[in-house]
Amino acid sequence: MSTATKLDPAAAQRAANRKSAKAGRTVIFRVKRCEGPGKPSRWEEFKVPVPPGANVISCLQHIAANPVTTQGARTTPVVWDSGCLEEVCGACTMVINGRVRQSCSALIDDYAPQEGDVMVLEPMSKFPVVRDLWVDRSRLFHNLQRVKAWVPIDGTYDLGSGPIESPASQGTRYKLSECMSCGCCLEACPQFNLEEDKAAWDTSFIGAHAISQARLFNEHATGAILKDERLDALMGQGGINDCGNAQNCVKVCPKHIPLTESIAAMGRAVTIHGIKKFFRGE
Amino acid sequence: MSEATTAKHPRSFLERHHHLLRRLHSLTGIVPIGVFLISHLLTNGSVVWGLLDSRKAEYGHAGVATFQHEVDFIHSIPFLFFIELSLWGAIAFHSILGFYYAKTGITNTGSYSFGGNWRYRLQRITGYIGILFIVYHVGTLRWNWTFLTPGGTAWSAEFAGSTMAQILRGSPSELTVAGVAVTAGYLLGVTSLVFHFANGLWTAAITWGLTISQAAQRRWGYACAGLGAGLMVMGWAAVIGFATLDPAEAKATEQKFRLKEQREAEKIGEVIDRERNRVSAIDAPR
Ligand code: HEM
Ligand code: SF4
Ligand code: SF4
Ligand code: FES
């Protein structure tokens, strides 16, 4: 994304840092720690020697093997979540130097090019912490259920071949299908905020990822069977109308999914759906 | 479905009509409030653009005369009270819900200092400033809260420009400290409301799904920025135009304008009377 790099000063800064990174340096990791749900959090610092090409996860592995703070105190290993280590599963998402992103693809050279530079690691703030940097993203998946983000093909008999899909529709949907449910768009969204009470999940803001997935499955010829139900869910409290158009979601999405276009497209669908319902007297 | 979905709890009025209320909130921001804002700033800007009307120069200050003409026109609109009432209803509806909606978000421009995020935050801040300004503005000029104007000046529809100048300047003659404060408040209020409207017009196109592609959103953004810039010029021209008027000179213009208008009305009345007499003379049975 050359245009994104050009427009985002933070990305330009990272590219410049990478060029000037010193070999054989030590970097300080300031980590926000928490021993479990409901426990208070505290900060701890670790000194980590960074080899060329190190990323946040490889440094966390170093800390796990040597759980000693900069003051020399022995502590518990820092806990984090990860899976693919190649920015496709979304599990390792955390807040790095104040911005949400995947830690597996976060290169230390981009952020801390000089000896003694500091990297700050925090768990995402919009989900409950399980431990340290590991959060519980259940609400993200729950919100995908709210819009029935799937194609209903379960049956007791062979349904035959699916409908023919146009290349244009495939093109639109391919981009949307790349969502890895990482939660970046939710962490950065001012309208999506921590909600620990599960009973309130259905009426609190659903988030850009779910709006975009509703679009993906409404555009799918078979998925469109559930179109009205998805639009009903988006019309309700906590649905698409609660988006405040801050457009942070699209800026932080690591998959460059056109989330704000999805929001506008579903805004249009909901407008029409609402008018139809009004005249049907529902 | 999960248990959270099936869990039953009484749905409030706001919840049951969520979509309708949200969309009415968006709509009222444009019609009638936004449309009124445009016409109101155009009217008030006439104290400056009225200077272009050379026919009005015979009264003294052409801007003051044009503005008086506009105000007289507005006051001649039939059922003005009902128009005002519906505008008030819309503003109350939009701002009460606006408050409630603004409360659902937590701003984060510190970490995510993108332009869009700043506009999101400013949309809320300008809403708060805007409603404070509107209440002050209407309270002092329409409901006679003269305890809030410098020197207790009351605005008068007959002497629209001169009394406005007096309020913005703080005294019938020179500019006072209170006057500077009121003028600064007006500039802040007008700037806030114009931003709020222009940015709201931009987001409304996303809300309703009129602009979908990023290119379309950008293009509509330029259009809204253009409209906003135009309204900003009008609004600032009005405030600065009144604040730099000499209230005494303005009053002289208004008196001359009123006299001339009256004389013209009388002349028309005379003509009508003469014609009526002539007609009845013809119709009279011989
Ligand atoms: C002259 C007065 C006003 C005008 C012309 C106006 C206009 C608008 C417009 C056109 C929108 C866009 C709606 C959308 O995105 O769909 C909007 C949104 C908004 N307005 Fe106003 N408004 C005014 C006063 C206020 C006041 C007094 C408040 C009180 C706090 C307020 C709070 C809001 C909020 C919070 C939003 C964002 C709603 C959202 O994005 O969900 N507005 N306004
Ligand atoms: S555009 Fe909507 S979903 Fe995206 S960050 Fe803003 S408020 Fe959240
Ligand atoms: S839309 Fe983007 S930011 Fe949001 S969950 Fe999917 S991949 Fe992550
Ligand atoms: S570990 Fe899968 S995205 Fe980082």
Side-chain angles (χ1 to χ4, degrees):
Chain A
M1 285 289 281
S2 61
T3 49
T5 328
K6 224 182 286 162
L7 294 176
D8 183 1
Q13 181 64 50
R14 288 201 295 275
N17 287 346
R18 197 181 308 178
K19 284 209 189 86
S20 67
K22 293 264 178 315
R25 69 191 184 284
T26 312
V27 166
I28 312 289
F29 278 78
R30 242 172 92 68
V31 184
K32 191 175 187 182
R33 306 207 51 184
C34 172
E35 274 164 22
K39 300 263 173 66
S41 46
R42 63 176 197 280
W43 290 93
E44 271 179 9
E45 291 189 358
F46 303 90
K47 248 189 218 146
V48 180
V50 293
N55 62 38
V56 168
I57 300 253
S58 71
C59 292
L60 283 171
Q61 285 168 335
H62 176 92
I63 295 171
N66 315 277
V68 179
T69 67
T70 41
Q71 280 87 30
R74 227 184 146 72
T75 182
T76 49
V78 175
V79 174
W80 75 92
D81 194 6
S82 67
C84 67
L85 299 183
E86 52 178 356
E87 208 182 76
V88 290
C89 77
C92 68
T93 309
M94 60 181 72
V95 178
I96 299 173
N97 288 5
R99 288 266 181 107
V100 68
R101 64 165 297 168
Q102 280 64 55
S103 52
C104 68
S105 59
L107 299 177
I108 311 302
D109 287 358
D110 285 8
Y111 289 92
Q114 307 301 324
E115 174 67 29
D117 277 354
V118 179
M119 300 272 310
V120 183
L121 307 184
E122 294 165 81
M124 281 197 276
S125 62
K126 307 290 173 80
F127 300 101
V129 173
V130 178
R131 191 169 176 142
D132 295 338
L133 302 171
W134 175 22
V135 297
D136 175 3
R137 288 179 296 146
S138 302
R139 183 172 156 214
L140 183 157
F141 300 106
H142 174 86
N143 286 353
L144 290 174
Q145 290 179 356
R146 278 165 74 183
V147 292
K148 300 188 168 30
W150 55 74
V151 175
I153 49 162
D154 290 347
T156 52
Y157 58 95
D158 183 359
L159 296 172
S161 57
I164 293 167
E165 298 277 358
S166 77
S169 157
Q170 283 175 22
T172 310
R173 283 186 292 115
Y174 182 75
K175 200 65 215 149
L176 306 181
S177 74
E178 284 184 291
C179 173
M180 58 178 172
S181 307
C182 65
C184 282
C185 55
L186 306 177
E187 176 67 17
C189 172
Q191 290 292 120
F192 188 96
N193 293 299
L194 180 67
E195 182 53 82
E196 304 207 52
D197 175 12
K198 283 191 185 182
W201 281 2
D202 279 326
T203 48
S204 18
F205 184 45
I206 197 160
H209 75 305
I211 296 169
S212 192
Q213 291 301 297
R215 181 187 182 203
L216 168 65
F217 290 102
N218 273 8
E219 297 247 335
H220 187 282
T222 310
I225 290 172
L226 299 176
K227 197 171 169 181
D228 285 353
E229 288 168 59
R230 294 196 190 96
L231 295 178
D232 280 340
L234 285 182
M235 266 173 84
Q237 185 164 14
I240 189 168
N241 287 312
D242 290 31
C243 161
N245 292 305
Q247 306 209 330
N248 290 350
C249 49
V250 74
K251 286 269 168 41
V252 298
C253 174
K255 295 294 166 191
H256 304 298
I257 293 170
L259 292 168
T260 45
E261 296 191 359
S262 288
I263 290 167
M266 295 315 277
R268 174 180 292 184
V270 162
T271 301
I272 295 166
H273 186 66
I275 293 172
K276 275 189 191 160
K277 281 181 78 144
F278 182 82
F279 284 108
R280 266 197 244 116
E282 283 170 27
Chain B
M1 271 276 107
S2 64
E3 52 186 290
T5 315
T6 47
K8 284 210 176 61
H9 66 106
R11 279 151 49 92
S12 68
F13 178 83
L14 286 178
E15 223 176 306
R16 274 180 286 128
H17 303 284
H18 187 74
H19 178 73
L20 183 65
L21 290 171
R22 274 282 185 173
R23 293 303 174 92
L24 280 177
H25 178 254
S26 174
L27 189 67
T28 50
I30 301 170
V31 191
I33 311 177
V35 169
F36 172 77
L37 182 70
I38 296 177
S39 77
H40 191 56
L41 292 181
L42 285 176
T43 305
N44 298 344
S46 68
V47 72
V48 173
W49 62 252
L51 290 169
L52 300 173
D53 185 356
S54 53
R55 287 167 305 168
K56 292 272 186 330
E58 60 173 299
Y59 304 106
H61 191 290
V64 171
T66 311
F67 179 61
Q68 189 61 52
H69 177 77
E70 298 281 316
V71 171
D72 290 349
F73 165 71
I74 291 170
H75 282 259
S76 74
I77 296 175
F79 305 112
L80 186 61
F81 175 70
F82 292 98
I83 296 177
E84 271 186 298
L85 204 62
S86 60
L87 199 56
W88 265 109
I91 292 175
F93 175 83
H94 183 92
S95 42
I96 290 168
L97 277 187
F99 247 106
Y100 169 73
Y101 294 149
K103 255 184 35 209
T104 63
I106 300 177
T107 53
N108 57 4
T109 41
S111 316
Y112 303 98
S113 52
F114 310 124
N117 203 19
W118 270 108
R119 287 194 295 276
Y120 166 92
R121 185 168 189 187
L122 284 173
Q123 185 71 4
R124 276 126 193 93
I125 295 173
T126 54
Y128 298 140
I129 299 176
I131 193 67
L132 287 179
F133 171 70
I134 293 172
V135 169
Y136 172 78
H137 176 62
V138 180
T140 50
L141 301 193
R142 193 92 182 100
W143 302 333
N144 260 319
W145 297 354
T146 46
F147 56 95
L148 288 177
T149 56
T153 309
W155 184 74
S156 147
E158 267 90 71
F159 298 99
S162 57
T163 47
M164 192 67 228
Q166 200 169 320
I167 287 168
L168 288 178
R169 296 176 66 79
S171 87
S173 44
E174 77 272 19
L175 189 65
T176 67
V177 176
V180 171
V182 174
T183 302
Y186 265 78
L187 287 178
L188 179 67
V190 166
T191 305
S192 298
L193 288 171
V194 169
F195 172 87
H196 188 92
F197 174 52
N199 188 53
L201 208 53
W202 180 71
T203 56
I206 301 170
T207 303
W208 293 85
L210 297 173
T211 53
I212 291 185
S213 71
Q214 277 175 16
Q217 292 185 14
R218 200 174 319 114
R219 275 198 298 269
W220 181 237
Y222 292 138
C224 293
L227 176 72
L231 287 178
M232 205 68 96
V233 168
M234 258 315 145
W236 279 63
V239 176
I240 294 171
F242 285 119
T244 53
L245 272 185
D246 173 3
E249 187 206 327
K251 193 159 188 175
T253 301
E254 284 152 3
Q255 273 160 340
K256 211 164 161 195
F257 180 74
R258 178 113 304 125
L259 266 178
K260 187 90 188 284
E261 292 268 284
Q262 264 165 13
R263 221 172 296 130
E264 255 155 37
E266 277 162 20
K267 227 184 280 162
I268 292 169
E270 278 165 24
V271 172
I272 291 173
D273 283 350
R274 202 183 324 121
E275 287 300 302
R276 194 177 285 145
N277 291 340
R278 205 165 59 85
V279 171
S280 52
I282 294 168
D283 284 351
R286 254 152 264 166

